[in-house]
Amino acid sequence: MKNILIGLVFSILWASASVATKFGVQSASPLILANVRFFIAGILLLGFSYGFKKDSAFRLPNRNEFKQLALFGFMNTTLYLGLYVCAMKYTAAGIGSLAVSTNPLIIVLLSAWWLHRKPAKAEWLGIVLGMAGVAVATYPLLKNSFTTLTGISLLLISMLTVSAASVYYASVKWELPNLLINGWQVMLGGIFLLPFTAVFSDFNATHWDLTFWGSVLWLSLAVSVVGLICWFYLLRIDTVRASLWLFLCPLFGFFFAWWLMDEPVTVYTIIGTVLVIAGLYAGQKSKLQSIKK
């Protein structure tokens, strides 16, 4: 029951990120929103790790580890989340949540190239179904300006980037605790994003209002801290079963988008979501069978 509750909390928080981002970009330039979020989350994670954890494993990274953290932070935070928050200015919140759910499928493709791992037939089927699902759900939203081609392009690039970051993360033999890894990569990613924020953001158009701070605090505390703690807990219990909670993210994502943003839920939405969930299941089928055995 405890694992189920934590899994539900993770799915809800993870799915809420796109809606929270959508609210935030109404008050500030996307990169300003992202940078403030990264620094708050980084300070909290590192402060908790070094201030309250007495384990000797919670130490400063060495030079080689800093290089690994910097590369991971640049891919996972600067590029992925930087592009994602920009994409959400031009993309429906529900589509943002649906696209994030396809990460495991894109990781299969990148793993085949990077780690020389041949995808199974079920995984190829999952990729096709997942991409088709996003396309179907997006189609009607392109007509009514809830989503634009610019937003979809930025979103797809961000999905490729975070998938590459995940494959890189899996290729490194980390000796640091997960909390430290996440804290450092978020903080370093925020530092790398600062020059882009300074050049491309309109600070005069930023409204430091309740909507902005509500969005930032939710993304920092609920998603980046609580959500990731739940995710790391689920990964520690069982990596494959943890990934199954991603199946619920599109459902919660479209619900939040409909409830809070008045985004339409159409037949295309339902068909697209079903295709993505079917794709995720197909992509995980071989692993699920090995669990049963």
Side-chain angles (χ1 to χ4, degrees), residues 39-118:
F39 286 138
I40 291 176
I43 290 170
L44 287 174
L45 287 167
L46 292 177
F48 176 78
S49 297
Y50 290 120
F52 296 93
K53 292 290 186 178
K54 304 303 180 183
D55 194 310
S56 60
F58 287 84
R59 55 176 173 78
L60 285 175
N62 57 42
R63 181 178 296 182
N64 186 56
E65 288 171 333
F66 260 123
K67 291 180 181 178
Q68 294 169 336
L69 289 166
L71 180 56
F72 181 49
F74 182 72
M75 290 193 295
N76 193 69
T77 297
T78 308
L79 290 181
Y80 160 51
L81 290 175
L83 288 168
Y84 180 81
V85 74
C86 289
M88 292 313 301
K89 191 173 181 66
Y90 310 101
T91 309
I95 297 300
S97 178
L98 189 65
V100 169
S101 300
T102 64
N103 283 346
L105 305 176
I106 301 175
I107 288 172
V108 170
L109 280 178
L110 292 179
S111 296
W113 168 70
W114 196 329
L115 303 178
H116 306 290
R117 174 187 172 276
K118 185 178 179 180

Coordinates of all heavy atoms in Angstrom, one line a residue, residues 39-118:
F39 N 17.5 27.2 -9.1 CA 18.3 27.6 -8.0 C 17.6 27.3 -6.7 O 18.3 26.9 -5.7 CB 18.6 29.1 -8.1 CG 19.7 29.4 -9.1 CD1 19.5 30.5 -10.0 CD2 20.8 28.6 -9.3 CE1 20.5 30.8 -10.9 CE2 21.8 28.9 -10.2 CZ 21.6 30.0 -11.0
I40 N 16.3 27.5 -6.6 CA 15.6 27.1 -5.4 C 15.7 25.6 -5.1 O 16.0 25.2 -4.0 CB 14.1 27.5 -5.5 CG1 14.0 29.0 -5.5 CG2 13.3 26.9 -4.3 CD1 12.6 29.5 -5.6
A41 N 15.4 24.8 -6.1 CA 15.5 23.3 -6.0 C 16.9 22.9 -5.6 O 17.2 22.1 -4.7 CB 15.1 22.6 -7.2
G42 N 17.9 23.5 -6.3 CA 19.3 23.1 -6.0 C 19.8 23.4 -4.6 O 20.4 22.6 -3.9
I43 N 19.4 24.6 -4.2 CA 19.8 25.1 -2.8 C 19.1 24.2 -1.8 O 19.7 23.8 -0.8 CB 19.4 26.6 -2.6 CG1 20.3 27.5 -3.4 CG2 19.5 26.9 -1.1 CD1 19.8 28.9 -3.4
L44 N 17.8 23.8 -2.0 CA 17.1 23.0 -1.0 C 17.7 21.6 -1.0 O 18.0 21.0 0.1 CB 15.6 22.9 -1.4 CG 14.8 24.1 -1.2 CD1 13.4 24.0 -1.7 CD2 14.7 24.4 0.3
L45 N 18.0 21.0 -2.1 CA 18.5 19.6 -2.2 C 19.9 19.6 -1.6 O 20.2 18.7 -0.8 CB 18.5 19.1 -3.6 CG 17.1 18.8 -4.2 CD1 17.2 18.6 -5.7 CD2 16.6 17.5 -3.5
L46 N 20.8 20.5 -2.0 CA 22.2 20.5 -1.5 C 22.2 20.9 0.0 O 23.0 20.3 0.8 CB 23.0 21.4 -2.3 CG 23.3 21.0 -3.7 CD1 24.1 22.1 -4.5 CD2 24.0 19.7 -3.8
G47 N 21.3 21.8 0.4 CA 21.3 22.2 1.8 C 20.8 21.1 2.7 O 21.4 20.8 3.8
F48 N 19.8 20.3 2.2 CA 19.4 19.2 3.0 C 20.4 18.1 3.0 O 20.7 17.5 4.1 CB 18.1 18.6 2.4 CG 17.6 17.4 3.0 CD1 16.9 17.4 4.2 CD2 17.8 16.1 2.5 CE1 16.4 16.3 4.9 CE2 17.3 15.0 3.1 CZ 16.6 15.1 4.3
S49 N 21.1 17.8 1.9 CA 22.1 16.8 1.8 C 23.2 17.0 2.8 O 23.7 16.1 3.5 CB 22.6 16.6 0.4 OG 21.5 16.2 -0.5
Y50 N 23.8 18.2 2.7 CA 25.0 18.5 3.5 C 24.6 19.0 4.9 O 25.5 18.9 5.8 CB 25.8 19.6 2.8 CG 26.5 19.1 1.5 CD1 26.2 19.7 0.3 CD2 27.4 18.1 1.6 CE1 26.8 19.3 -0.9 CE2 28.0 17.6 0.4 CZ 27.7 18.2 -0.8 OH 28.3 17.8 -1.9
G51 N 23.4 19.5 5.1 CA 23.0 19.9 6.5 C 22.5 18.9 7.4 O 22.6 19.0 8.6
F52 N 21.8 17.9 6.8 CA 21.1 16.9 7.7 C 21.6 15.5 7.5 O 21.3 14.7 8.3 CB 19.6 17.0 7.4 CG 19.0 18.3 7.8 CD1 18.8 19.3 6.8 CD2 18.5 18.6 9.1 CE1 18.3 20.6 7.1 CE2 18.0 19.8 9.4 CZ 17.8 20.8 8.4
K53 N 22.2 15.2 6.4 CA 22.7 13.8 6.2 C 24.1 13.7 6.8 O 25.0 14.4 6.3 CB 22.7 13.5 4.7 CG 21.4 13.4 4.0 CD 20.6 12.2 4.5 CE 19.3 12.0 3.8 NZ 18.6 10.8 4.2
K54 N 24.3 12.8 7.7 CA 25.6 12.6 8.4 C 26.4 11.5 7.8 O 27.5 11.3 8.2 CB 25.4 12.4 9.9 CG 24.5 13.4 10.6 CD 25.2 14.8 10.4 CE 24.3 15.9 11.1 NZ 24.9 17.3 10.9
D55 N 25.8 10.8 6.8 CA 26.5 9.7 6.1 C 27.8 10.2 5.4 O 27.8 11.3 4.8 CB 25.6 9.0 5.1 CG 26.1 7.7 4.7 OD1 27.3 7.6 4.3 OD2 25.4 6.7 4.7
S56 N 28.9 9.5 5.5 CA 30.1 9.9 4.8 C 30.0 9.9 3.3 O 30.8 10.6 2.6 CB 31.3 8.9 5.2 OG 30.9 7.6 4.8
A57 N 29.0 9.3 2.8 CA 28.8 9.3 1.3 C 28.4 10.7 0.8 O 28.6 11.0 -0.3 CB 27.7 8.3 0.9
F58 N 27.8 11.5 1.7 CA 27.4 12.9 1.4 C 28.6 13.8 1.5 O 28.8 14.5 2.5 CB 26.2 13.3 2.3 CG 24.9 12.7 1.9 CD1 24.6 11.4 2.4 CD2 24.1 13.3 1.1 CE1 23.4 10.8 2.1 CE2 22.9 12.7 0.7 CZ 22.5 11.4 1.2
R59 N 29.4 13.8 0.5 CA 30.7 14.5 0.5 C 30.7 15.4 -0.8 O 29.8 15.3 -1.6 CB 31.9 13.5 0.4 CG 31.7 12.6 -0.8 CD 32.9 11.6 -0.9 NE 32.7 10.6 -2.0 CZ 32.7 10.8 -3.3 NH1 33.0 12.1 -3.7 NH2 32.5 9.9 -4.1
L60 N 31.7 16.3 -0.9 CA 31.9 17.1 -2.1 C 32.4 16.2 -3.2 O 33.2 15.3 -3.0 CB 32.9 18.2 -1.8 CG 32.4 19.4 -1.0 CD1 33.5 20.3 -0.8 CD2 31.2 20.1 -1.7
P61 N 31.9 16.4 -4.4 CA 32.3 15.6 -5.6 C 33.8 15.9 -5.9 O 34.3 17.0 -5.6 CB 31.4 16.0 -6.7 CG 30.3 16.7 -6.1 CD 30.8 17.3 -4.8
N62 N 34.5 14.9 -6.4 CA 35.9 15.1 -6.8 C 35.9 15.7 -8.2 O 34.8 15.9 -8.8 CB 36.7 13.8 -6.8 CG 36.1 12.7 -7.6 OD1 35.7 13.0 -8.7 ND2 36.1 11.5 -7.1
R63 N 37.1 16.0 -8.8 CA 37.1 16.7 -10.1 C 36.4 15.9 -11.2 O 35.7 16.5 -12.0 CB 38.6 16.9 -10.4 CG 38.8 17.6 -11.8 CD 40.2 17.9 -12.1 NE 40.9 18.8 -11.1 CZ 42.1 19.2 -11.2 NH1 42.9 18.8 -12.2 NH2 42.6 20.0 -10.2
N64 N 36.7 14.6 -11.2 CA 36.0 13.8 -12.3 C 34.5 13.8 -12.1 O 33.8 13.8 -13.1 CB 36.6 12.4 -12.3 CG 36.1 11.6 -13.4 OD1 36.3 11.9 -14.6 ND2 35.5 10.4 -13.1
E65 N 34.1 13.7 -10.9 CA 32.6 13.6 -10.6 C 32.0 15.0 -11.0 O 30.8 15.0 -11.5 CB 32.4 13.3 -9.2 CG 32.7 11.8 -8.8 CD 32.6 11.5 -7.4 OE1 32.9 12.5 -6.5 OE2 32.3 10.4 -7.0
F66 N 32.7 16.1 -10.7 CA 32.2 17.4 -11.1 C 32.0 17.5 -12.6 O 31.0 18.1 -13.1 CB 33.1 18.5 -10.6 CG 32.6 19.2 -9.4 CD1 33.4 19.2 -8.2 CD2 31.4 19.7 -9.3 CE1 33.0 19.8 -7.1 CE2 30.9 20.3 -8.1 CZ 31.7 20.4 -7.0
K67 N 32.9 16.9 -13.4 CA 32.8 16.9 -14.8 C 31.6 16.1 -15.3 O 30.8 16.5 -16.2 CB 34.1 16.3 -15.5 CG 35.3 17.2 -15.3 CD 36.5 16.5 -16.0 CE 37.8 17.3 -15.8 NZ 39.0 16.6 -16.4
Q68 N 31.4 15.0 -14.6 CA 30.2 14.1 -15.0 C 28.9 14.8 -14.6 O 27.9 14.8 -15.4 CB 30.3 12.8 -14.2 CG 31.5 11.9 -14.7 CD 31.7 10.7 -13.8 OE1 31.4 10.8 -12.6 NE2 32.3 9.7 -14.3
L69 N 28.9 15.5 -13.4 CA 27.7 16.2 -13.0 C 27.4 17.4 -13.9 O 26.3 17.7 -14.2 CB 27.9 16.7 -11.5 CG 27.8 15.6 -10.4 CD1 28.4 16.1 -9.1 CD2 26.4 15.1 -10.3
A70 N 28.5 18.1 -14.3 CA 28.3 19.2 -15.2 C 27.7 18.8 -16.5 O 26.8 19.5 -17.0 CB 29.7 19.9 -15.4
L71 N 28.2 17.7 -17.1 CA 27.7 17.3 -18.4 C 26.2 16.8 -18.2 O 25.3 17.1 -19.0 CB 28.5 16.1 -18.9 CG 28.1 15.5 -20.3 CD1 28.0 16.6 -21.4 CD2 29.0 14.4 -20.7
F72 N 26.0 16.1 -17.2 CA 24.6 15.6 -16.9 C 23.7 16.8 -16.6 O 22.5 16.8 -17.2 CB 24.6 14.6 -15.7 CG 23.2 14.1 -15.4 CD1 22.4 13.5 -16.4 CD2 22.8 14.1 -14.1 CE1 21.2 13.0 -16.1 CE2 21.5 13.6 -13.8 CZ 20.7 13.0 -14.8
G73 N 24.1 17.7 -15.9 CA 23.3 18.9 -15.6 C 23.0 19.8 -16.8 O 21.9 20.3 -17.0
F74 N 24.0 19.9 -17.7 CA 23.8 20.6 -18.9 C 22.8 20.0 -19.8 O 21.9 20.7 -20.4 CB 25.2 20.7 -19.7 CG 25.1 21.6 -20.9 CD1 25.0 22.9 -20.9 CD2 25.1 20.9 -22.2 CE1 24.9 23.7 -22.0 CE2 25.0 21.7 -23.3 CZ 24.9 23.1 -23.3
M75 N 22.8 18.7 -19.9 CA 21.9 18.0 -20.8 C 20.5 17.9 -20.1 O 19.5 18.2 -20.7 CB 22.3 16.6 -21.1 CG 23.5 16.5 -22.0 SD 23.8 14.8 -22.7 CE 24.3 14.0 -21.2
N76 N 20.5 17.5 -18.8 CA 19.2 17.2 -18.1 C 18.5 18.4 -17.6 O 17.2 18.4 -17.6 CB 19.5 16.3 -17.0 CG 18.2 15.7 -16.4 OD1 17.6 14.8 -17.0 ND2 17.8 16.1 -15.2
T77 N 19.2 19.5 -17.3 CA 18.6 20.7 -16.8 C 18.6 21.9 -17.7 O 17.6 22.4 -18.1 CB 19.2 21.1 -15.4 OG1 19.0 20.0 -14.5 CG2 18.6 22.3 -14.8
T78 N 19.9 22.3 -18.1 CA 20.0 23.4 -19.0 C 19.3 23.2 -20.3 O 18.4 24.1 -20.7 CB 21.5 23.7 -19.3 OG1 22.2 23.8 -18.1 CG2 21.6 25.0 -20.1
L79 N 19.6 22.2 -21.0 CA 19.0 21.9 -22.3 C 17.5 21.4 -22.3 O 16.6 22.0 -22.8 CB 19.8 21.0 -23.2 CG 21.2 21.5 -23.6 CD1 21.9 20.4 -24.5 CD2 21.0 22.8 -24.5
Y80 N 17.4 20.3 -21.5 CA 16.0 19.7 -21.5 C 15.0 20.6 -20.9 O 14.0 21.0 -21.5 CB 16.1 18.4 -20.7 CG 14.7 17.9 -20.3 CD1 13.6 17.8 -21.1 CD2 14.5 17.5 -18.9 CE1 12.4 17.4 -20.7 CE2 13.3 17.1 -18.5 CZ 12.2 17.1 -19.3 OH 11.0 16.7 -18.9
L81 N 15.2 21.0 -19.6 CA 14.2 21.8 -19.0 C 14.1 23.2 -19.5 O 13.1 23.9 -19.5 CB 14.4 21.8 -17.5 CG 14.1 20.5 -16.8 CD1 14.5 20.5 -15.3 CD2 12.7 20.1 -16.9
G82 N 15.3 23.7 -20.0 CA 15.3 25.1 -20.6 C 14.4 25.1 -21.9 O 13.6 26.0 -22.1
L83 N 14.6 24.0 -22.7 CA 13.8 23.9 -23.9 C 12.3 23.6 -23.6 O 11.4 24.1 -24.3 CB 14.4 22.8 -24.8 CG 15.7 23.2 -25.5 CD1 16.3 21.9 -26.1 CD2 15.5 24.2 -26.6
Y84 N 12.1 22.8 -22.6 CA 10.8 22.3 -22.2 C 9.9 23.5 -21.8 O 8.8 23.7 -22.2 CB 10.8 21.3 -21.2 CG 9.5 20.8 -20.7 CD1 8.8 19.8 -21.5 CD2 8.8 21.3 -19.6 CE1 7.5 19.4 -21.1 CE2 7.6 20.8 -19.2 CZ 6.9 19.9 -19.9 OH 5.7 19.4 -19.6
V85 N 10.5 24.4 -20.9 CA 9.7 25.5 -20.4 C 9.4 26.5 -21.5 O 8.4 27.1 -21.6 CB 10.5 26.2 -19.2 CG1 11.7 27.0 -19.7 CG2 9.5 27.0 -18.4
C86 N 10.4 26.6 -22.5 CA 10.1 27.5 -23.7 C 9.0 26.9 -24.5 O 8.1 27.6 -25.0 CB 11.4 27.7 -24.5 SG 12.6 28.7 -23.7
A87 N 9.0 25.6 -24.7 CA 8.0 24.9 -25.5 C 6.6 25.1 -24.9 O 5.6 25.2 -25.7 CB 8.4 23.4 -25.6
M88 N 6.5 25.1 -23.6 CA 5.2 25.2 -22.9 C 4.5 26.5 -23.2 O 3.3 26.6 -22.9 CB 5.3 24.9 -21.4 CG 5.7 23.4 -21.1 SD 4.7 22.2 -22.1 CE 3.1 22.6 -21.5
K89 N 5.3 27.5 -23.6 CA 4.7 28.8 -23.9 C 3.8 28.7 -25.2 O 2.9 29.4 -25.4 CB 5.7 29.9 -24.1 CG 5.2 31.3 -24.1 CD 6.3 32.3 -24.1 CE 5.8 33.7 -24.2 NZ 5.0 34.1 -23.0
Y90 N 4.2 27.7 -26.0 CA 3.5 27.5 -27.3 C 2.8 26.2 -27.5 O 2.4 25.8 -28.6 CB 4.5 27.7 -28.5 CG 5.4 28.9 -28.3 CD1 6.7 28.9 -27.8 CD2 4.9 30.2 -28.7 CE1 7.5 30.0 -27.7 CE2 5.7 31.3 -28.6 CZ 7.0 31.2 -28.1 OH 7.7 32.3 -28.0
T91 N 2.7 25.4 -26.4 CA 2.2 24.1 -26.4 C 1.1 23.9 -25.4 O 1.2 24.4 -24.3 CB 3.3 23.0 -26.2 OG1 4.4 23.3 -27.1 CG2 2.8 21.6 -26.5
A92 N 0.1 23.1 -25.7 CA -0.9 22.8 -24.7 C -0.3 22.0 -23.5 O 0.6 21.2 -23.7 CB -2.1 22.0 -25.3
A93 N -0.8 22.2 -22.3 CA -0.2 21.6 -21.1 C -0.4 20.1 -21.2 O 0.5 19.3 -20.8 CB -0.9 22.1 -19.9
G94 N -1.6 19.6 -21.7 CA -1.8 18.2 -21.8 C -0.8 17.5 -22.8 O -0.3 16.4 -22.5
I95 N -0.5 18.2 -23.9 CA 0.5 17.6 -24.8 C 1.9 17.5 -24.2 O 2.6 16.6 -24.4 CB 0.6 18.5 -26.1 CG1 -0.8 18.4 -26.8 CG2 1.7 18.0 -27.0 CD1 -1.2 17.0 -27.2
G96 N 2.2 18.5 -23.4 CA 3.5 18.5 -22.7 C 3.6 17.3 -21.8 O 4.7 16.6 -21.7
S97 N 2.6 17.0 -21.0 CA 2.6 15.8 -20.2 C 2.6 14.5 -21.0 O 3.3 13.6 -20.6 CB 1.3 15.9 -19.3 OG 1.3 14.8 -18.4
L98 N 1.9 14.5 -22.1 CA 1.9 13.3 -22.9 C 3.2 13.0 -23.5 O 3.7 11.9 -23.6 CB 0.8 13.5 -24.0 CG 0.5 12.2 -24.9 CD1 -0.1 11.1 -24.0 CD2 -0.4 12.6 -26.0
A99 N 3.9 14.1 -24.0 CA 5.2 13.9 -24.6 C 6.3 13.4 -23.6 O 7.1 12.6 -23.9 CB 5.7 15.3 -25.2
V100 N 6.2 13.9 -22.4 CA 7.1 13.4 -21.3 C 7.0 11.9 -21.1 O 8.0 11.3 -20.9 CB 6.9 14.2 -20.0 CG1 7.7 13.5 -18.9 CG2 7.3 15.7 -20.1
S101 N 5.8 11.4 -21.3 CA 5.6 10.0 -21.1 C 6.3 9.1 -22.1 O 6.4 7.9 -22.0 CB 4.1 9.7 -21.0 OG 3.5 10.4 -20.0
T102 N 6.7 9.7 -23.2 CA 7.3 8.9 -24.3 C 8.8 8.8 -24.1 O 9.5 8.1 -24.9 CB 7.1 9.6 -25.7 OG1 7.7 10.9 -25.7 CG2 5.6 9.8 -26.0
N103 N 9.4 9.4 -23.0 CA 10.8 9.3 -22.8 C 11.4 7.9 -22.8 O 12.4 7.6 -23.4 CB 11.2 10.0 -21.4 CG 11.2 11.5 -21.6 OD1 11.1 12.0 -22.7 ND2 11.1 12.2 -20.5
P104 N 10.7 6.9 -22.1 CA 11.2 5.6 -22.1 C 11.3 5.0 -23.5 O 12.2 4.2 -23.7 CB 10.2 4.8 -21.2 CG 9.6 5.8 -20.4 CD 9.5 7.0 -21.2
L105 N 10.5 5.4 -24.4 CA 10.5 4.9 -25.7 C 11.7 5.4 -26.5 O 12.4 4.7 -27.3 CB 9.2 5.2 -26.5 CG 7.9 4.7 -25.7 CD1 6.7 5.1 -26.5 CD2 7.9 3.2 -25.6
I106 N 11.9 6.8 -26.3 CA 13.0 7.4 -27.0 C 14.3 6.9 -26.5 O 15.3 6.7 -27.2 CB 12.9 8.9 -26.9 CG1 11.6 9.4 -27.4 CG2 14.1 9.6 -27.6 CD1 11.4 10.9 -27.2
I107 N 14.4 6.6 -25.2 CA 15.6 6.0 -24.6 C 16.0 4.7 -25.2 O 17.2 4.4 -25.4 CB 15.4 5.8 -23.0 CG1 15.3 7.2 -22.3 CG2 16.5 5.0 -22.4 CD1 15.0 7.2 -20.9
V108 N 15.0 3.9 -25.6 CA 15.2 2.6 -26.3 C 16.0 2.9 -27.6 O 17.0 2.2 -27.8 CB 13.9 1.9 -26.6 CG1 14.2 0.7 -27.5 CG2 13.2 1.4 -25.3
L109 N 15.6 3.9 -28.3 CA 16.3 4.2 -29.6 C 17.8 4.7 -29.3 O 18.7 4.3 -30.0 CB 15.6 5.3 -30.4 CG 14.3 4.9 -31.2 CD1 13.7 6.1 -31.8 CD2 14.7 3.8 -32.2
L110 N 17.9 5.6 -28.4 CA 19.2 6.2 -28.1 C 20.1 5.1 -27.5 O 21.3 5.1 -27.7 CB 19.1 7.3 -27.1 CG 18.4 8.6 -27.7 CD1 18.3 9.7 -26.7 CD2 19.2 9.1 -28.9
S111 N 19.6 4.2 -26.7 CA 20.4 3.1 -26.1 C 20.9 2.2 -27.2 O 22.0 1.7 -27.1 CB 19.6 2.3 -25.1 OG 19.2 3.1 -24.0
A112 N 20.1 2.0 -28.2 CA 20.5 1.2 -29.4 C 21.8 1.7 -30.0 O 22.7 1.0 -30.4 CB 19.4 1.0 -30.4
W113 N 21.8 3.1 -30.1 CA 22.9 3.7 -30.8 C 24.1 3.9 -29.8 O 25.3 3.6 -30.2 CB 22.5 5.1 -31.3 CG 23.6 6.0 -31.8 CD1 24.4 5.8 -32.9 CD2 24.1 7.2 -31.1 NE1 25.3 6.8 -32.9 CE2 25.1 7.7 -31.9 CE3 23.6 7.9 -30.0 CZ2 25.8 8.8 -31.5 CZ3 24.3 9.0 -29.7 CH2 25.4 9.5 -30.4
W114 N 23.8 4.4 -28.6 CA 24.9 4.7 -27.7 C 25.5 3.5 -27.0 O 26.7 3.4 -26.9 CB 24.3 5.7 -26.6 CG 25.3 6.4 -25.8 CD1 26.6 6.0 -25.4 CD2 25.2 7.7 -25.2 NE1 27.2 7.0 -24.7 CE2 26.3 8.0 -24.5 CE3 24.1 8.7 -25.2 CZ2 26.5 9.2 -23.8 CZ3 24.3 9.8 -24.5 CH2 25.5 10.1 -23.9
L115 N 24.6 2.6 -26.5 CA 25.1 1.5 -25.8 C 25.1 0.2 -26.6 O 25.4 -0.9 -26.0 CB 24.2 1.3 -24.5 CG 24.1 2.5 -23.6 CD1 23.1 2.1 -22.4 CD2 25.4 2.9 -23.0
H116 N 24.9 0.3 -27.9 CA 24.9 -0.8 -28.8 C 24.0 -1.9 -28.3 O 24.3 -3.1 -28.3 CB 26.3 -1.4 -29.0 CG 27.3 -0.3 -29.4 ND1 27.3 0.3 -30.6 CD2 28.3 0.3 -28.7 CE1 28.3 1.2 -30.7 NE2 28.9 1.2 -29.5
R117 N 22.8 -1.5 -28.0 CA 21.8 -2.5 -27.5 C 20.7 -2.6 -28.6 O 20.0 -1.6 -28.9 CB 21.2 -2.0 -26.2 CG 20.0 -2.9 -25.7 CD 19.4 -2.2 -24.5 NE 18.2 -2.9 -24.1 CZ 17.0 -2.7 -24.6 NH1 16.8 -1.8 -25.5 NH2 15.9 -3.3 -24.2
K118 N 20.5 -3.8 -29.1 CA 19.5 -4.0 -30.1 C 18.1 -4.0 -29.5 O 17.7 -4.9 -28.7 CB 19.7 -5.3 -30.9 CG 18.8 -5.5 -32.1 CD 19.2 -6.8 -32.8 CE 18.2 -7.0 -34.0 NZ 18.6 -8.3 -34.7

